[in-house]
Amino acid sequence: MDTEKDMPRPDELRDGTLAEVNALRDLLSQIGDPDAAHDAGVIDDDEYVERKARKLAYTSALAAYANGEVPDLPALLEQMREQASQPTQTETNTANIDYLLMTVGGDQ
């Protein structure tokens, strides 16, 4: 028969998860706002993509932990790197408008 000594306490079961969640929150706070840093010229494009990917991955991992799931952080980070390196809809629209102005002309 199991005794209380044999059974882990709920806090002991969660300690690893809580430590991971706290570490992710700390890392997330250290990243700050990659968009603002990039717009200000403080970081280059490569650093922007890396910080944006980490911010997205850490935020997704925290959401997974909140839902009771254990995320695969390295896989999540790789997925977010790919996502962060893609142009945003605003960048795509701006490029399309610039192209139209260049080919059609903007003096109409």
Coordinates of all heavy atoms in Angstrom, one line a residue:
M1 N 0.8 -1.2 0.0 CA 0.0 0.0 0.0 C 0.9 1.2 0.0 O 1.9 1.3 0.7 CB -0.9 0.0 1.3 CG -1.9 1.1 1.3 SD -3.1 0.7 2.5 CE -3.3 2.3 3.2
D2 N 0.5 2.2 -0.8 CA 1.3 3.5 -0.9 C 1.1 4.3 0.4 O 0.0 4.4 1.0 CB 0.8 4.3 -2.0 CG 1.2 3.7 -3.4 OD1 2.2 3.0 -3.4 OD2 0.6 4.0 -4.4
T3 N 2.2 4.8 0.8 CA 2.1 5.7 2.0 C 2.3 7.1 1.5 O 2.7 7.4 0.4 CB 3.2 5.3 3.0 OG1 4.4 5.6 2.5 CG2 3.0 3.9 3.5
E4 N 2.1 8.0 2.4 CA 2.3 9.4 2.1 C 3.7 9.7 1.7 O 3.9 10.6 0.8 CB 1.8 10.3 3.2 CG 1.8 11.8 2.9 CD 1.3 12.6 4.0 OE1 0.2 12.2 4.6 OE2 1.9 13.7 4.3
K5 N 4.6 9.0 2.2 CA 6.1 9.2 1.9 C 6.4 8.8 0.5 O 7.2 9.3 -0.2 CB 7.0 8.5 2.9 CG 7.0 9.0 4.3 CD 7.9 8.2 5.1 CE 7.9 8.8 6.6 NZ 8.8 8.0 7.4
D6 N 5.7 7.8 0.0 CA 5.9 7.2 -1.3 C 5.3 8.1 -2.4 O 5.8 8.1 -3.6 CB 5.3 5.8 -1.5 CG 6.0 4.8 -0.5 OD1 7.2 5.0 -0.2 OD2 5.3 3.8 -0.2
M7 N 4.3 8.8 -2.1 CA 3.6 9.6 -3.1 C 4.2 11.0 -3.2 O 4.3 11.7 -2.1 CB 2.1 9.7 -2.8 CG 1.5 8.4 -2.5 SD 0.3 7.8 -3.7 CE -0.4 9.2 -4.5
P8 N 4.5 11.5 -4.4 CA 5.0 12.9 -4.5 C 3.9 13.9 -4.2 O 2.7 13.6 -4.5 CB 5.5 13.0 -5.9 CG 4.8 11.9 -6.6 CD 4.5 10.8 -5.6
R9 N 4.3 14.9 -3.5 CA 3.3 16.0 -3.3 C 3.0 16.7 -4.6 O 3.8 16.8 -5.5 CB 3.8 17.0 -2.2 CG 4.1 16.3 -0.9 CD 4.5 17.4 0.1 NE 5.1 18.5 -0.5 CZ 6.2 19.2 -0.1 NH1 6.7 18.8 1.0 NH2 6.6 20.3 -0.7
P10 N 1.8 17.3 -4.7 CA 1.5 18.1 -5.9 C 2.5 19.2 -6.2 O 2.9 19.4 -7.3 CB 0.1 18.7 -5.6 CG -0.5 17.8 -4.6 CD 0.7 17.2 -3.8
D11 N 3.0 19.8 -5.1 CA 4.0 20.9 -5.3 C 5.3 20.3 -5.9 O 6.0 21.0 -6.7 CB 4.3 21.6 -4.0 CG 3.2 22.5 -3.6 OD1 2.3 22.8 -4.4 OD2 3.2 22.9 -2.4
E12 N 5.7 19.1 -5.5 CA 6.9 18.5 -6.1 C 6.7 18.1 -7.5 O 7.6 18.2 -8.3 CB 7.2 17.2 -5.3 CG 7.7 17.5 -3.9 CD 7.9 16.2 -3.1 OE1 7.5 15.2 -3.5 OE2 8.5 16.4 -1.9
L13 N 5.5 17.7 -7.9 CA 5.2 17.4 -9.3 C 5.3 18.7 -10.2 O 5.7 18.6 -11.3 CB 3.9 16.8 -9.5 CG 3.7 15.4 -8.9 CD1 2.2 14.9 -9.0 CD2 4.6 14.4 -9.6
R14 N 4.8 19.8 -9.6 CA 4.8 21.0 -10.4 C 6.1 21.8 -10.4 O 6.2 22.7 -11.1 CB 3.6 21.9 -9.9 CG 2.3 21.2 -10.2 CD 1.2 22.2 -9.9 NE 1.5 23.1 -8.8 CZ 0.7 23.5 -7.8 NH1 -0.5 23.0 -7.8 NH2 1.1 24.3 -6.8
D15 N 7.0 21.5 -9.4 CA 8.2 22.3 -9.3 C 8.9 22.5 -10.6 O 9.4 23.6 -10.9 CB 9.1 21.8 -8.2 CG 8.6 22.2 -6.8 OD1 7.8 23.1 -6.7 OD2 9.1 21.6 -5.9
G16 N 9.1 21.4 -11.3 CA 9.8 21.5 -12.6 C 9.1 22.4 -13.6 O 9.7 23.2 -14.3
T17 N 7.8 22.2 -13.7 CA 7.0 23.1 -14.6 C 7.0 24.5 -14.1 O 7.1 25.4 -15.0 CB 5.5 22.5 -14.6 OG1 5.6 21.2 -15.1 CG2 4.7 23.3 -15.6
L18 N 6.8 24.7 -12.8 CA 6.8 26.1 -12.4 C 8.2 26.8 -12.6 O 8.2 28.0 -13.0 CB 6.5 26.1 -10.9 CG 5.0 25.8 -10.5 CD1 4.9 25.8 -9.0 CD2 4.1 26.8 -11.1
A19 N 9.2 26.0 -12.4 CA 10.6 26.6 -12.7 C 10.7 26.9 -14.2 O 11.3 28.0 -14.5 CB 11.6 25.6 -12.2
E20 N 10.2 26.1 -15.0 CA 10.3 26.3 -16.5 C 9.4 27.5 -16.8 O 9.9 28.4 -17.6 CB 9.8 25.1 -17.2 CG 9.9 25.2 -18.7 CD 11.3 25.1 -19.3 OE1 12.2 24.7 -18.6 OE2 11.5 25.6 -20.4
V21 N 8.3 27.6 -16.3 CA 7.4 28.8 -16.6 C 8.0 30.1 -16.1 O 8.0 31.1 -16.8 CB 6.0 28.6 -15.9 CG1 5.2 29.9 -15.9 CG2 5.2 27.5 -16.7
N22 N 8.6 30.1 -14.9 CA 9.3 31.3 -14.4 C 10.5 31.6 -15.2 O 10.7 32.8 -15.5 CB 9.7 31.0 -12.9 CG 8.5 31.1 -12.0 OD1 7.5 31.6 -12.3 ND2 8.6 30.4 -10.8
A23 N 11.2 30.6 -15.7 CA 12.4 30.9 -16.5 C 11.9 31.5 -17.9 O 12.5 32.5 -18.4 CB 13.2 29.6 -16.8
L24 N 10.9 31.0 -18.4 CA 10.3 31.5 -19.7 C 9.8 33.0 -19.5 O 10.1 33.8 -20.4 CB 9.2 30.7 -20.2 CG 9.6 29.3 -20.8 CD1 8.4 28.5 -21.1 CD2 10.4 29.6 -22.1
R25 N 9.2 33.3 -18.4 CA 8.7 34.6 -18.1 C 9.9 35.6 -18.0 O 9.9 36.7 -18.5 CB 7.9 34.7 -16.9 CG 6.5 34.1 -17.1 CD 5.7 34.2 -15.8 NE 4.4 33.6 -16.1 CZ 3.6 33.0 -15.2 NH1 4.0 32.9 -13.9 NH2 2.4 32.5 -15.5
D26 N 11.0 35.1 -17.3 CA 12.2 36.0 -17.2 C 12.8 36.2 -18.5 O 13.2 37.4 -18.9 CB 13.2 35.3 -16.3 CG 12.8 35.3 -14.8 OD1 11.9 36.1 -14.4 OD2 13.3 34.5 -14.0
L27 N 12.9 35.2 -19.3 CA 13.5 35.4 -20.7 C 12.7 36.3 -21.5 O 13.2 37.1 -22.3 CB 13.7 34.0 -21.4 CG 14.8 33.1 -20.8 CD1 14.6 31.7 -21.4 CD2 16.1 33.7 -21.1
L28 N 11.4 36.1 -21.4 CA 10.4 37.0 -22.2 C 10.6 38.4 -21.8 O 10.6 39.3 -22.7 CB 9.0 36.5 -22.0 CG 7.9 36.9 -22.9 CD1 8.3 36.6 -24.4 CD2 6.6 36.3 -22.6
S29 N 10.7 38.7 -20.5 CA 10.9 40.1 -20.1 C 12.2 40.7 -20.5 O 12.3 41.9 -20.8 CB 10.8 40.2 -18.6 OG 11.9 39.6 -17.9
Q30 N 13.3 39.8 -20.7 CA 14.6 40.3 -21.2 C 14.6 40.7 -22.6 O 15.3 41.5 -23.1 CB 15.6 39.3 -20.9 CG 15.9 39.1 -19.4 CD 16.9 37.9 -19.2 OE1 17.5 37.4 -20.1 NE2 16.9 37.5 -17.9
I31 N 13.7 40.0 -23.4 CA 13.6 40.3 -24.9 C 13.1 41.7 -25.1 O 13.6 42.3 -26.0 CB 12.8 39.2 -25.6 CG1 13.5 37.8 -25.5 CG2 12.5 39.6 -27.0 CD1 12.6 36.7 -26.0
G32 N 12.1 42.1 -24.4 CA 11.6 43.4 -24.6 C 10.7 43.5 -25.8 O 10.0 42.5 -26.2
D33 N 10.8 44.6 -26.6 CA 10.0 44.8 -27.8 C 10.9 44.8 -29.0 O 11.5 45.8 -29.3 CB 9.2 46.1 -27.7 CG 8.3 46.3 -28.8 OD1 8.2 45.5 -29.7 OD2 7.6 47.3 -28.8
P34 N 11.0 43.6 -29.7 CA 11.9 43.6 -30.9 C 11.5 44.5 -32.0 O 12.4 45.1 -32.6 CB 11.7 42.1 -31.4 CG 11.0 41.4 -30.3 CD 10.4 42.4 -29.4
D35 N 10.2 44.8 -32.1 CA 9.8 45.7 -33.2 C 10.3 47.1 -32.9 O 10.8 47.8 -33.8 CB 8.2 45.7 -33.3 CG 7.7 44.4 -33.8 OD1 8.2 43.9 -34.7 OD2 6.7 43.9 -33.2
A36 N 10.1 47.6 -31.7 CA 10.6 48.9 -31.3 C 12.1 49.0 -31.4 O 12.6 50.0 -31.9 CB 10.2 49.3 -29.9
A37 N 12.8 48.0 -31.0 CA 14.3 48.0 -31.1 C 14.7 48.1 -32.5 O 15.7 48.8 -32.9 CB 14.9 46.8 -30.4
H38 N 14.1 47.3 -33.4 CA 14.4 47.3 -34.8 C 14.1 48.6 -35.5 O 14.9 49.2 -36.3 CB 13.7 46.1 -35.5 CG 14.1 45.9 -36.9 ND1 13.3 46.4 -38.0 CD2 15.2 45.4 -37.5 CE1 13.9 46.1 -39.1 NE2 15.1 45.5 -38.8
D39 N 12.9 49.2 -35.2 CA 12.5 50.5 -35.7 C 13.4 51.6 -35.3 O 13.7 52.5 -36.1 CB 11.1 50.8 -35.3 CG 10.0 49.9 -36.0 OD1 10.4 49.2 -37.0 OD2 8.9 49.9 -35.5
A40 N 14.0 51.5 -34.1 CA 14.9 52.5 -33.6 C 16.3 52.3 -34.1 O 17.2 53.1 -33.9 CB 14.9 52.5 -32.1
G41 N 16.6 51.2 -34.8 CA 17.9 50.9 -35.4 C 18.9 50.4 -34.4 O 20.1 50.3 -34.6
V42 N 18.4 49.9 -33.2 CA 19.2 49.3 -32.2 C 19.7 47.9 -32.6 O 20.8 47.6 -32.2 CB 18.5 49.3 -30.8 CG1 19.3 48.7 -29.7 CG2 18.1 50.7 -30.5
I43 N 18.9 47.2 -33.3 CA 19.3 45.8 -33.7 C 19.1 45.7 -35.2 O 18.3 46.4 -35.8 CB 18.4 44.7 -33.0 CG1 16.9 45.0 -33.2 CG2 18.7 44.7 -31.5 CD1 16.0 43.9 -32.7
D44 N 19.9 44.8 -35.8 CA 19.9 44.6 -37.2 C 18.8 43.6 -37.5 O 18.1 43.0 -36.7 CB 21.2 44.1 -37.8 CG 21.7 42.8 -37.2 OD1 20.9 42.1 -36.5 OD2 22.8 42.4 -37.5
D45 N 18.6 43.3 -38.8 CA 17.5 42.4 -39.3 C 17.6 41.0 -38.7 O 16.6 40.4 -38.3 CB 17.5 42.3 -40.8 CG 17.0 43.6 -41.4 OD1 16.4 44.5 -40.7 OD2 17.3 43.8 -42.6
D46 N 18.8 40.4 -38.7 CA 19.0 39.1 -38.2 C 18.7 39.0 -36.7 O 18.0 38.0 -36.2 CB 20.5 38.6 -38.4 CG 20.8 38.4 -39.9 OD1 19.8 38.2 -40.7 OD2 22.0 38.5 -40.2
E47 N 19.1 40.0 -35.9 CA 18.8 40.0 -34.5 C 17.3 40.2 -34.3 O 16.8 39.6 -33.3 CB 19.6 41.1 -33.8 CG 19.4 41.1 -32.3 CD 19.9 39.9 -31.5 OE1 20.8 39.2 -32.1 OE2 19.5 39.7 -30.4
Y48 N 16.7 41.0 -35.1 CA 15.3 41.2 -35.0 C 14.5 39.9 -35.2 O 13.6 39.5 -34.4 CB 14.8 42.2 -36.1 CG 13.3 42.3 -36.2 CD1 12.5 42.9 -35.2 CD2 12.7 41.7 -37.3 CE1 11.1 42.9 -35.3 CE2 11.3 41.7 -37.4 CZ 10.5 42.3 -36.4 OH 9.2 42.4 -36.6
V49 N 14.9 39.1 -36.2 CA 14.2 37.8 -36.5 C 14.4 36.9 -35.3 O 13.5 36.2 -34.9 CB 14.7 37.2 -37.8 CG1 14.2 35.8 -38.0 CG2 14.3 38.0 -39.0
E50 N 15.6 36.8 -34.8 CA 15.9 35.9 -33.6 C 15.1 36.4 -32.4 O 14.5 35.5 -31.7 CB 17.4 35.9 -33.3 CG 17.8 35.0 -32.2 CD 17.5 33.5 -32.5 OE1 17.4 33.1 -33.7 OE2 17.3 32.8 -31.5
R51 N 15.1 37.6 -32.1 CA 14.3 38.1 -30.9 C 12.8 37.9 -31.1 O 12.1 37.5 -30.1 CB 14.6 39.6 -30.6 CG 16.0 39.8 -30.0 CD 16.1 41.2 -29.6 NE 17.5 41.5 -29.1 CZ 17.8 42.7 -28.6 NH1 16.9 43.6 -28.4 NH2 19.1 42.9 -28.2
K52 N 12.3 38.2 -32.3 CA 10.9 38.0 -32.6 C 10.5 36.5 -32.4 O 9.5 36.2 -31.8 CB 10.6 38.5 -34.0 CG 9.1 38.5 -34.3 CD 8.4 39.6 -33.6 CE 7.0 39.8 -34.2 NZ 6.3 40.9 -33.6
A53 N 11.4 35.7 -33.0 CA 11.1 34.2 -32.9 C 11.1 33.7 -31.5 O 10.2 33.0 -31.1 CB 12.1 33.5 -33.7
R54 N 12.1 34.2 -30.7 CA 12.1 33.8 -29.3 C 10.9 34.3 -28.5 O 10.3 33.6 -27.7 CB 13.4 34.3 -28.6 CG 14.6 33.6 -29.0 CD 15.9 34.0 -28.3 NE 17.0 33.3 -28.8 CZ 17.4 32.1 -28.3 NH1 16.7 31.5 -27.4 NH2 18.5 31.5 -28.8
K55 N 10.5 35.5 -28.8 CA 9.3 36.1 -28.1 C 8.1 35.3 -28.5 O 7.3 34.9 -27.6 CB 9.1 37.5 -28.5 CG 8.0 38.2 -27.7 CD 8.0 39.7 -28.0 CE 6.9 40.4 -27.1 NZ 6.9 41.8 -27.2
L56 N 7.9 34.9 -29.7 CA 6.8 34.1 -30.1 C 6.8 32.7 -29.5 O 5.8 32.2 -29.1 CB 6.7 34.0 -31.7 CG 6.4 35.3 -32.4 CD1 6.6 35.1 -33.9 CD2 4.9 35.7 -32.2
A57 N 8.0 32.1 -29.5 CA 8.1 30.7 -29.0 C 7.9 30.7 -27.5 O 7.2 29.8 -27.0 CB 9.5 30.2 -29.3
Y58 N 8.5 31.7 -26.8 CA 8.3 31.7 -25.3 C 6.8 32.0 -25.0 O 6.3 31.4 -24.0 CB 9.2 32.7 -24.7 CG 10.6 32.5 -24.8 CD1 11.5 33.5 -24.7 CD2 11.2 31.3 -25.2 CE1 12.9 33.3 -24.8 CE2 12.5 31.1 -25.3 CZ 13.4 32.1 -25.1 OH 14.7 31.9 -25.3
T59 N 6.2 32.8 -25.7 CA 4.8 33.1 -25.5 C 3.9 31.9 -25.7 O 3.0 31.6 -25.0 CB 4.3 34.3 -26.3 OG1 5.1 35.5 -26.0 CG2 2.9 34.7 -26.0
S60 N 4.2 31.2 -26.8 CA 3.4 30.0 -27.2 C 3.7 28.9 -26.1 O 2.8 28.1 -25.8 CB 3.8 29.5 -28.5 OG 3.5 30.4 -29.5
A61 N 4.9 28.8 -25.6 CA 5.2 27.8 -24.6 C 4.5 28.1 -23.3 O 4.0 27.2 -22.7 CB 6.7 27.7 -24.4
L62 N 4.4 29.3 -22.9 CA 3.7 29.7 -21.7 C 2.2 29.4 -21.9 O 1.6 28.9 -20.9 CB 3.9 31.2 -21.4 CG 5.2 31.6 -20.8 CD1 5.4 33.1 -20.8 CD2 5.5 31.0 -19.5
A63 N 1.6 29.6 -23.1 CA 0.2 29.3 -23.3 C 0.0 27.8 -23.2 O -1.0 27.3 -22.7 CB -0.2 29.8 -24.7
A64 N 1.0 27.0 -23.7 CA 0.9 25.6 -23.7 C 0.9 25.1 -22.2 O 0.1 24.2 -21.8 CB 2.0 24.9 -24.5
Y65 N 1.8 25.6 -21.4 CA 1.9 25.3 -20.0 C 0.6 25.6 -19.3 O 0.1 24.9 -18.5 CB 3.0 25.9 -19.3 CG 4.4 25.2 -19.5 CD1 5.5 25.9 -20.0 CD2 4.5 23.9 -19.1 CE1 6.7 25.2 -20.2 CE2 5.7 23.2 -19.3 CZ 6.8 23.9 -19.8 OH 8.0 23.3 -20.0
A66 N 0.0 26.8 -19.7 CA -1.3 27.2 -19.1 C -2.4 26.2 -19.4 O -3.3 26.0 -18.6 CB -1.6 28.6 -19.5
N67 N -2.3 25.6 -20.5 CA -3.3 24.6 -20.9 C -3.0 23.2 -20.4 O -3.7 22.2 -20.8 CB -3.5 24.5 -22.5 CG -4.1 25.8 -23.0 OD1 -4.9 26.5 -22.3 ND2 -3.7 26.2 -24.2
G68 N -1.9 23.0 -19.6 CA -1.6 21.7 -19.1 C -0.7 20.9 -20.0 O -0.5 19.7 -19.8
E69 N -0.2 21.5 -21.1 CA 0.6 20.8 -22.1 C 2.1 21.1 -21.8 O 2.4 22.1 -21.2 CB 0.3 21.2 -23.5 CG -1.2 21.0 -23.9 CD -1.5 21.7 -25.1 OE1 -0.6 22.2 -25.8 OE2 -2.7 21.7 -25.5
V70 N 3.0 20.2 -22.2 CA 4.4 20.4 -22.1 C 4.9 20.6 -23.5 O 5.0 19.7 -24.3 CB 5.1 19.2 -21.4 CG1 6.6 19.4 -21.4 CG2 4.5 19.0 -20.1
P71 N 5.3 21.9 -23.8 CA 5.8 22.1 -25.2 C 7.2 21.6 -25.5 O 8.0 21.5 -24.6 CB 5.7 23.7 -25.3 CG 6.0 24.1 -23.8 CD 5.3 23.0 -23.0
D72 N 7.4 21.4 -26.8 CA 8.8 21.1 -27.2 C 9.4 22.4 -27.7 O 9.2 22.8 -28.8 CB 8.7 20.1 -28.4 CG 10.0 19.7 -29.0 OD1 11.1 20.1 -28.3 OD2 10.1 19.0 -30.0
L73 N 10.1 23.0 -26.8 CA 10.6 24.4 -27.0 C 11.6 24.5 -28.2 O 11.4 25.4 -29.0 CB 11.3 24.9 -25.7 CG 11.5 26.4 -25.7 CD1 10.2 27.2 -26.0 CD2 12.1 26.9 -24.4
P74 N 12.5 23.6 -28.4 CA 13.4 23.7 -29.5 C 12.6 23.6 -30.9 O 12.9 24.4 -31.8 CB 14.4 22.5 -29.4 CG 14.4 22.2 -27.9 CD 13.0 22.5 -27.4
A75 N 11.7 22.7 -31.0 CA 10.9 22.6 -32.2 C 10.0 23.9 -32.4 O 9.9 24.4 -33.5 CB 10.0 21.4 -32.1
L76 N 9.5 24.4 -31.3 CA 8.7 25.6 -31.3 C 9.5 26.8 -31.7 O 9.1 27.6 -32.5 CB 8.1 25.8 -29.9 CG 6.9 26.7 -29.8 CD1 5.7 26.3 -30.7 CD2 6.4 26.7 -28.3
L77 N 10.7 26.9 -31.2 CA 11.6 28.0 -31.6 C 12.0 27.9 -33.1 O 12.0 29.0 -33.7 CB 12.9 27.9 -30.7 CG 13.8 29.1 -30.8 CD1 13.2 30.4 -30.6 CD2 15.0 28.9 -29.9
E78 N 12.2 26.7 -33.6 CA 12.5 26.6 -35.0 C 11.4 27.0 -35.9 O 11.5 27.7 -36.9 CB 12.9 25.2 -35.3 CG 13.6 25.0 -36.6 CD 14.9 25.8 -36.8 OE1 15.7 26.0 -35.8 OE2 15.1 26.4 -37.9
Q79 N 10.2 26.6 -35.5 CA 9.0 27.0 -36.2 C 8.8 28.5 -36.2 O 8.4 29.1 -37.2 CB 7.8 26.3 -35.6 CG 6.4 26.6 -36.2 CD 5.3 26.0 -35.4 OE1 5.5 25.3 -34.4 NE2 4.1 26.2 -35.9
M80 N 9.0 29.1 -35.0 CA 8.8 30.6 -34.9 C 9.9 31.4 -35.7 O 9.6 32.5 -36.1 CB 8.7 31.0 -33.4 CG 7.5 30.4 -32.7 SD 6.0 30.8 -33.5 CE 4.8 29.8 -32.7
R81 N 11.1 30.8 -35.8 CA 12.1 31.5 -36.6 C 11.7 31.6 -38.0 O 11.9 32.6 -38.7 CB 13.4 30.7 -36.5 CG 14.2 31.0 -35.2 CD 15.6 30.3 -35.3 NE 16.3 30.5 -34.1 CZ 16.7 29.6 -33.2 NH1 16.5 28.3 -33.5 NH2 17.4 29.9 -32.1
E82 N 11.1 30.5 -38.5 CA 10.6 30.5 -39.9 C 9.5 31.5 -40.0 O 9.5 32.3 -41.0 CB 10.1 29.1 -40.2 CG 9.7 29.0 -41.7 CD 9.3 27.5 -42.0 OE1 9.9 26.6 -41.6 OE2 8.3 27.4 -42.8
Q83 N 8.6 31.5 -39.1 CA 7.5 32.5 -39.1 C 7.9 33.9 -39.0 O 7.5 34.8 -39.7 CB 6.5 32.2 -38.0 CG 5.3 33.1 -38.0 CD 4.3 32.7 -36.9 OE1 4.3 31.6 -36.4 NE2 3.5 33.7 -36.5
A84 N 8.9 34.2 -38.1 CA 9.4 35.6 -37.9 C 10.2 36.1 -39.1 O 10.2 37.3 -39.3 CB 10.2 35.6 -36.7
S85 N 10.8 35.2 -39.9 CA 11.5 35.6 -41.1 C 10.7 35.9 -42.3 O 11.2 36.6 -43.2 CB 12.6 34.5 -41.4 OG 11.9 33.4 -41.9
Q86 N 9.4 35.6 -42.2 CA 8.5 35.9 -43.3 C 8.1 37.4 -43.2 O 7.9 37.9 -42.1 CB 7.2 35.0 -43.2 CG 7.5 33.5 -43.3 CD 8.1 33.2 -44.7 OE1 7.7 33.7 -45.7 NE2 9.1 32.3 -44.6
P87 N 7.9 38.0 -44.4 CA 7.4 39.4 -44.3 C 6.0 39.5 -43.7 O 5.2 38.6 -43.9 CB 7.5 39.9 -45.8 CG 7.4 38.6 -46.6 CD 8.0 37.5 -45.7
T88 N 5.8 40.6 -43.0 CA 4.5 40.8 -42.4 C 3.5 41.3 -43.6 O 4.0 41.6 -44.7 CB 4.5 41.9 -41.4 OG1 4.9 43.2 -42.0 CG2 5.5 41.6 -40.2
Q89 N 2.3 41.3 -43.3 CA 1.3 41.7 -44.3 C 1.5 43.2 -44.7 O 1.4 43.6 -45.8 CB -0.2 41.5 -43.7 CG -1.2 41.8 -44.8 CD -1.1 40.8 -45.9 OE1 -1.0 39.6 -45.7 NE2 -1.2 41.3 -47.2
T90 N 1.9 44.0 -43.7 CA 2.2 45.4 -44.0 C 3.4 45.6 -44.9 O 3.3 46.4 -45.9 CB 2.4 46.2 -42.7 OG1 1.3 46.0 -41.8 CG2 2.7 47.7 -42.9
E91 N 4.4 44.8 -44.7 CA 5.6 44.8 -45.5 C 5.2 44.4 -46.9 O 5.7 45.0 -47.9 CB 6.7 44.0 -45.0 CG 7.3 44.5 -43.7 CD 8.2 43.5 -43.0 OE1 8.1 42.3 -43.2 OE2 9.1 44.0 -42.2
T92 N 4.4 43.3 -47.0 CA 4.0 42.8 -48.4 C 3.2 43.9 -49.1 O 3.4 44.2 -50.3 CB 3.2 41.5 -48.2 OG1 4.0 40.6 -47.5 CG2 2.8 41.0 -49.6
N93 N 2.2 44.5 -48.4 CA 1.4 45.5 -49.0 C 2.2 46.7 -49.4 O 2.0 47.3 -50.5 CB 0.3 46.0 -48.0 CG -0.7 44.9 -47.7 OD1 -0.8 43.9 -48.4 ND2 -1.5 45.2 -46.7
T94 N 3.2 47.2 -48.6 CA 4.0 48.3 -49.0 C 4.8 48.0 -50.2 O 5.0 48.8 -51.1 CB 5.0 48.6 -47.8 OG1 4.2 49.0 -46.7 CG2 5.9 49.8 -48.1
A95 N 5.4 46.8 -50.3 CA 6.1 46.4 -51.5 C 5.3 46.3 -52.7 O 5.7 46.8 -53.8 CB 6.8 45.0 -51.2
N96 N 4.0 45.8 -52.6 CA 3.1 45.8 -53.7 C 2.8 47.2 -54.2 O 2.7 47.5 -55.4 CB 1.9 45.0 -53.4 CG 2.1 43.5 -53.2 OD1 3.1 43.0 -53.7 ND2 1.2 42.9 -52.6
I97 N 2.5 48.1 -53.3 CA 2.2 49.5 -53.6 C 3.4 50.2 -54.3 O 3.2 50.9 -55.3 CB 1.7 50.3 -52.4 CG1 0.4 49.8 -51.9 CG2 1.7 51.8 -52.6 CD1 -0.1 50.3 -50.5
D98 N 4.6 50.0 -53.7 CA 5.8 50.5 -54.3 C 6.0 50.0 -55.7 O 6.3 50.8 -56.6 CB 7.0 50.2 -53.5 CG 7.0 51.0 -52.2 OD1 6.3 51.9 -52.0 OD2 7.8 50.6 -51.3
Y99 N 5.7 48.7 -55.9 CA 5.9 48.1 -57.3 C 4.8 48.7 -58.2 O 5.2 49.1 -59.4 CB 5.7 46.6 -57.2 CG 5.8 46.0 -58.5 CD1 7.0 45.8 -59.2 CD2 4.6 45.5 -59.2 CE1 7.1 45.2 -60.4 CE2 4.7 44.9 -60.4 CZ 5.9 44.8 -61.0 OH 6.0 44.2 -62.3
L100 N 3.6 48.9 -57.8 CA 2.6 49.5 -58.6 C 2.9 50.9 -59.0 O 2.7 51.3 -60.1 CB 1.2 49.4 -58.0 CG 0.5 48.0 -58.0 CD1 -0.7 48.1 -57.1 CD2 0.2 47.6 -59.4
L101 N 3.4 51.7 -58.0 CA 3.7 53.0 -58.3 C 4.9 53.1 -59.3 O 5.0 54.0 -60.1 CB 4.1 53.8 -57.0 CG 2.9 54.1 -56.1 CD1 3.4 54.7 -54.7 CD2 1.9 55.0 -56.7
M102 N 5.8 52.2 -59.2 CA 7.0 52.2 -60.0 C 6.6 51.8 -61.5 O 7.0 52.4 -62.4 CB 8.0 51.2 -59.5 CG 9.3 51.2 -60.3 SD 10.5 50.1 -59.6 CE 9.8 48.5 -59.9
T103 N 5.7 50.8 -61.6 CA 5.3 50.4 -63.0 C 4.2 51.2 -63.6 O 4.3 51.5 -64.8 CB 4.9 48.9 -62.9 OG1 3.8 48.8 -62.0 CG2 6.0 48.0 -62.5
V104 N 3.2 51.6 -62.8 CA 2.1 52.4 -63.4 C 2.4 53.9 -63.3 O 2.0 54.6 -64.2 CB 0.8 52.0 -62.6 CG1 -0.4 52.9 -63.1 CG2 0.5 50.6 -62.7
G105 N 3.1 54.3 -62.3 CA 3.4 55.7 -62.2 C 2.5 56.3 -61.1 O 1.3 55.9 -61.0
G106 N 3.0 57.2 -60.3 CA 2.3 57.7 -59.2 C 1.8 59.1 -59.5 O 1.2 59.7 -58.6
D107 N 1.9 59.6 -60.6 CA 1.5 61.0 -60.9 C 0.2 61.1 -61.7 O 0.0 61.9 -62.5 CB 2.6 61.7 -61.8 CG 3.9 61.8 -61.0 OD1 3.9 61.9 -59.8 OD2 5.0 61.8 -61.7
Q108 N -0.7 60.3 -61.4 CA -2.0 60.3 -62.1 C -3.0 61.1 -61.4 O -3.2 61.2 -60.3 CB -2.5 58.9 -62.3 CG -1.6 58.1 -63.1 CD -2.1 56.6 -63.4 OE1 -3.2 56.3 -62.9 NE2 -1.4 55.8 -64.0

